[in-house]
Amino acid sequence: MNTNQMEQLAIRGGEKTVKATFPWPIYDETEVEAVANVVRSGQWGNPDCADLVARFEEQFAAYCGSKYAITCVNGSVSLRMALMACGLRPGDEVIVPPYTFIATASVVLEINCVPVFVDIDPQTYNLDPSKIEAAITSRTKAIVPVHFAGLACDMDAILDIARRYNLRVIEDAAHAHGAEYNGRKLGTFGDAGSFSFQSSKNLTSGEGGIVITDSDELYETINSLRNVGRLPHGQWYDHFNPGCNYRITQLQAVLLSEQLKRLDEQTRVRDENGLYLNSLLATIAGVVPLSRGDVAMRHCYHLYIFKYDKAAFANLPRKTFVEMLSAEGVPCSAGYPHPLYKQPVFQQKNFMCYAIPDSVDYTQVSCPEAERACAHEAVWIFQHAMLGTKADIESFAQAIRKIQLAVARE
Ligand SMILES: *Cc1c(COP(=O)(O)O)cnc(C)c1O
């Protein structure tokens, strides 16, 4: 191959920089056998049998260092049940970040409460604690910090505010399985922590979710909510709470038990690769990784995010940069096109049956940091690519450098 072919961008027919592909999910015959055994047993789920579900819940609680874990159908329902169990009333306000998946805010609507958007810290893309207090009113009852991309929120600052204003804290840890802050697993800092097991997440069974908590009271309520409002020692047709059937199957549970055995090593690899990629990007102008701060942490890189500055790329728009980087073989995207409050559901107040006060108006909301991240700054590399080798990680940096040189020549 001559130099020209090497310099030619893959999007224009040149050679791809990244040779590897990155499978996800990762499994072998162990998972296949585990699921097959459940199939053969005929013990697929309630009411006959839920011992394997209970076993996974114990395993996940032990892994996180929490007292209880309650599985459910997905990471939206887990978050909603955790909020419901906190005793929020219609019209109560819940502080959420605008740079996250829609579920973080839509589950607040679903319990007839009002999502209040507080901007992100431009260094981390997580909820900015210095902006929280200004958003607190007499109706504020809870904060939902999202450990976005698997990077821990500033929990010391958030818990301090929560204590002073008597607010509940429910961590949305949908990106954060196995990640740590000051040596402790994320999801264990607030009243409860919520995780998703949807296919893209760092621990998956295709779909699924879980809540972890140390609170006996929250555990009992959430356990009842996910099981049609039943109580553990009540009758099958006795319903005490307004829950639905949010249970998972034994097939999912055994898959999760096997996948959990892989999680810690996968998290170690992603964290190490993330630190390595940080060091490589430090030598390239116009690409700045999000900050890990000064606190000891274990980042699980559900996403590896860096800030793109087109000025260092001959004013190449981020959209084109991401197309070029994808063509070079880096699994990446530009992420969310808008902060959540710009979504039609909020702008047009399509609240359907939900009892959101008329005075709520999302057209007036402005979170400039989240808007900039969405409009032209953020670039996401997906978690499965962060499981590659050192050489693969080097090829990501090479691909960025190749684009930079190519656009500078034009
Ligand atoms: C995926 C996700 C959820 C919801 O999880 P589902 O299992 O898809 O319902 C909630 N919050 C965040 C930040 C997520 O990324």
Side-chain angles (χ1 to χ4, degrees), residues 1 17 37-38 42 61 87 101 117 153 175-176 187 210 284 309 359 368 379 397 399:
M1 186 168 59
T17 315
N37 286 339
V38 176
F101 182 60
F117 295 99
C153 289
H175 292 186
I210 201 163
I284 307 175
D309 179 3
S359 55
V379 178

Side-chain angles (χ1 to χ4, degrees), residues 91-106:
D92 284 348
E93 294 173 1
V94 178
I95 289 173
V96 297
Y99 192 79
T100 174
F101 182 60
I102 185 71
T104 310
S106 61

Side-chain angles (χ1 to χ4, degrees), residues 74-77 79 100-101 103-104 146 148 172 174-175 196-198 201 207-208 302 336:
N74 60 52
S76 309
V77 162
L79 194 57
T100 174
F101 182 60
T104 310
V146 181
F148 198 77
D172 184 345
H175 292 186
S196 165
F197 301 134
Q198 179 266 341
K201 304 294 158 81
E207 298 285 1
H302 176 63
Y336 304 123

Side-chain angles (χ1 to χ4, degrees), residues 55-233:
R55 187 188 64 168
F56 171 69
E57 289 170 340
E58 278 165 31
Q59 290 166 342
F60 193 76
Y63 177 75
C64 294
S66 68
K67 193 164 170 192
Y68 301 109
I70 309 118
T71 52
C72 64
V73 289
N74 60 52
S76 309
V77 162
S78 54
L79 194 57
R80 177 155 57 82
M81 291 194 303
L83 285 165
M84 271 180 89
C86 285
L88 275 66
R89 312 297 309 164
D92 284 348
E93 294 173 1
V94 178
I95 289 173
V96 297
Y99 192 79
T100 174
F101 182 60
I102 185 71
T104 310
S106 61
V107 299
V108 176
L109 294 178
E110 284 189 297
I111 57 165
N112 299 306
C113 291
V114 181
V116 173
F117 295 99
V118 168
D119 209 354
I120 54 173
D121 176 340
Q123 308 300 320
T124 63
Y125 286 5
N126 278 330
L127 202 52
D128 185 342
S130 74
K131 301 199 178 100
I132 292 177
E133 286 189 74
I136 294 174
T137 73
S138 58
R139 311 223 62 163
T140 310
K141 293 290 153 53
I143 308 175
V144 181
V146 181
H147 304 295
F148 198 77
L151 174 64
C153 289
D154 183 348
M155 290 313 293
D156 289 333
I158 291 170
L159 291 174
D160 175 60
I161 296 166
R163 261 190 299 271
R164 284 190 284 117
Y165 290 88
N166 193 25
L167 306 177
R168 297 288 204 145
V169 175
I170 306 295
E171 297 170 72
D172 184 345
H175 292 186
H177 321 69
E180 293 173 5
Y181 175 84
N182 264 332
R184 230 169 94 189
K185 291 280 186 307
L186 298 184
T188 62
F189 289 87
D191 295 274
S194 166
F195 296 81
S196 165
F197 301 134
Q198 179 266 341
S199 327
S200 71
K201 304 294 158 81
N202 291 20
L203 180 64
T204 180
S205 50
E207 298 285 1
I210 201 163
V211 188
I212 59 172
T213 183
D214 285 343
S215 154
D216 298 343
E217 196 189 330
L218 288 187
Y219 166 72
E220 279 158 28
T221 308
I222 296 168
N223 193 30
S224 175
L225 291 175
R226 71 99 180 249
N227 192 25
V228 221
R230 293 189 182 108
L231 293 179
H233 303 292

